[in-house]
Amino acid sequence: MKKISENYDSIVIGAGHAGCEAALALARTNNKTLLLTISLDAIAFLACNPSIGGTAKGQLVSEVDALGGQMGINADKTAIQIRMLNRGKGPAVQSLRAQSDKNAYHTEMKKVLENEKNLTVRQGEVVDIEVVGDKKLVTTHLGLTYSAKSLVFATGVYLKSEIIVGSVREKTGPNGFKNASFLSDSLKKLGIRLLRFKTGTPVRLHARSVDYDKMEIQYGEDDIASFSAMTEGNVKNRAVCYLTYTTPKTHEIIRQNLDKAPAISGEIKGVGPRYCPSIETKVVRFADRERHQLFLEPEALDTQEMYLQGFSTSMPADLQKEMVHSVIGLENAEIMRDAYAIEYDCIDPTQLNPTLELKTVPGLFFAGQINGTSGYEEAAAQGIVAGINASMFNQGKEQLVLKRSDGYIGVLIDDIVTKGTNEPYRMMTSRAEYRLLLRQDNADFRLTEIGRKVGLVSDERYNKFLEKKQKIQQIEQILQQKAKIDDKMRQLFEKTHENLPKENIRFYDMLKRTNIDIFQIEEEYHIFKDYDRSLLELVNIRVKYEGYLKQQQEDIDKMLKNENVVIPQDFDYSKAKGLRQEAQEKLSNIRPLNLGQASRISGVSPADISVLSILIKRGNS
């Protein structure tokens, strides 16, 4: 047996966004934790776009925050621009997005990790994993071996990763960081199935070389809610972004050189992201489109590097220059860093339970891009759940399973462990069937009590939550007051083109009118002057969408009936009469926890679920 350097309760492998949340969740729930990373300089590194949030991703960040996580706090502290996406659409699809200072984000998260008691941060590449009884042994490239009760794998895109630019391949991780060359083989020895995926990142340009006059300026929003309930005041906008477009010349250059495009020619074997394709893939896929949107965004306040969002490519470096110079406003742009594609190993996530624990080896948890997902926010969401459940495992307590009705995190995890993914999975609002209930503004109402129960939500955070609940109740009580038919009411109803009521009405009923919102009531009556705009917005949505919210809750209640029908883990599907063979195979492979999860497995029909329901009831009778 190997010589043990030190024993821990848990070890987290990888210090990206998943690893940081997992390590903090473990340490904050009193587990002696070791966080191992290939490079201390890569902690919470924003390898691609230096932004946090976005469509559906903003919801994930707020949910991580509601559970007691760190990403939202860090995003607020290091934001240089913030705004709400989809303002013109309904509240179900509105999401907060912040442009972050890339360098400050890394520095702040590293500082948080270093100052967390119970947490040791150590540089070292993990090259081997062994399971000896109930102990997990982790060995680094320098021959040091550590022991723990549980492990969290959060290795991101570093497993046997290769950077690709044209015909040039380099065995390295993002941004030139060292990759993890040996851990994939160790995972295979444990019987874990691996996949090969691909992602990429655009060029970085020098700010002085851009012609901004040809671009459309994109400002942030003031007086806007933050990601974290722990942030005092509003986030300040300290930078602007720009909108520009490709041109027919851009598309011509790409089409004439498709034989040199690894993403098109077949040189790249890994499967790329459907919803964030390379620019050459977009030109081929949308052949009739004359131009594509591109956003020019600052990397940080202390650098001149600009990020060209929407321009991911693995084209040769000389062609990248031609392509960039064909874009409006970038005719003389100086490339500081070339764009690249990156291939990497990840696992088939259907090998995991909804707790993110490996089905075949208790105490091994996986989170982030190693599970076939993409994005910082998706990684952090899995990281906090894996950290919580590794802590529960250490304590011998029941692990946390977030349902699809609990939040976007529940949708994300259920999707990947139940359905799997054949491409990098990205969270979108359309994936959440209860998205009107799973809004960004009510994440704490859905998840803070859960975070408190598992011991992750601090007293300070919980007291802020209780205070918010109290203020919401006060606003709702004020809405029950009646308003008289007077000049104020006449003025409000005339201005909003609503019919004046025949008798005094409650402010609540006034708010139910199509053209009247809570801010117009406040402007006229000044009854909510003691309450923040974010609280008024939440109540406004509750009242305006009350009927829809009630319908979604009824749908959830129906869904939960199946979620509450537990399937015994030793259930033998091969002997289940009435189940089709395909259903038997799929159910045996996934081994769902309950009837609800079983119903979402591809290849399992409603008829199969009816048969399974009867068989379970017979077995329990």
Side-chain angles (χ1 to χ4, degrees), residues 350-384:
T350 60
Q351 297 167 101
L352 305 177
N353 286 316
T355 59
L356 297 181
E357 183 180 27
L358 189 67
K359 294 173 183 176
T360 53
V361 185
L364 265 56
F365 297 83
F366 291 76
Q369 287 185 267
I370 191 174
N371 288 344
T373 59
S374 68
Y376 314 138
E377 303 82 3
E378 289 90 339
Q382 295 168 72
I384 196 168

Side-chain angles (χ1 to χ4, degrees), residues 193-211:
R193 296 189 303 279
L194 300 183
L195 306 172
R196 190 76 173 166
F197 279 0
K198 164 251 173 185
T199 187
T201 191
V203 293
R204 268 58 162 191
L205 307 174
H206 198 299
R208 71 183 175 200
S209 65
V210 175
D211 188 348

Side-chain angles (χ1 to χ4, degrees), residues 116-136:
E116 187 66 46
K117 67 176 184 178
N118 296 324
L119 180 58
T120 299
V121 182
R122 186 80 157 82
Q123 183 165 292
E125 179 193 349
V126 175
V127 297
D128 188 52
I129 304 292
E130 286 185 70
V131 178
V132 182
D134 60 353
K135 290 288 185 182
K136 286 78 183 176

Side-chain angles (χ1 to χ4, degrees), residues 138-157:
V138 173
T139 302
T140 71
H141 69 298
L142 296 178
L144 297 175
T145 298
Y146 304 96
S147 170
K149 299 174 188 173
S150 60
L151 304 181
V152 177
F153 293 85
T155 53
V157 298

Side-chain angles (χ1 to χ4, degrees), residues 76-88:
D76 290 339
K77 189 175 288 189
T78 61
I80 56 179
Q81 188 194 73
I82 192 165
R83 60 196 179 103
M84 187 69 76
L85 302 186
N86 297 327
R87 277 286 192 195

Side-chain angles (χ1 to χ4, degrees), residues 17-18 21 60 64 67 356 376-386 409 412-413:
H17 307 285
E21 293 296 346
L60 287 172
V64 168
L67 286 169
L356 297 181
Y376 314 138
E377 303 82 3
E378 289 90 339
Q382 295 168 72
I384 196 168
V385 171
I409 300 178
L412 161 64
I413 294 175

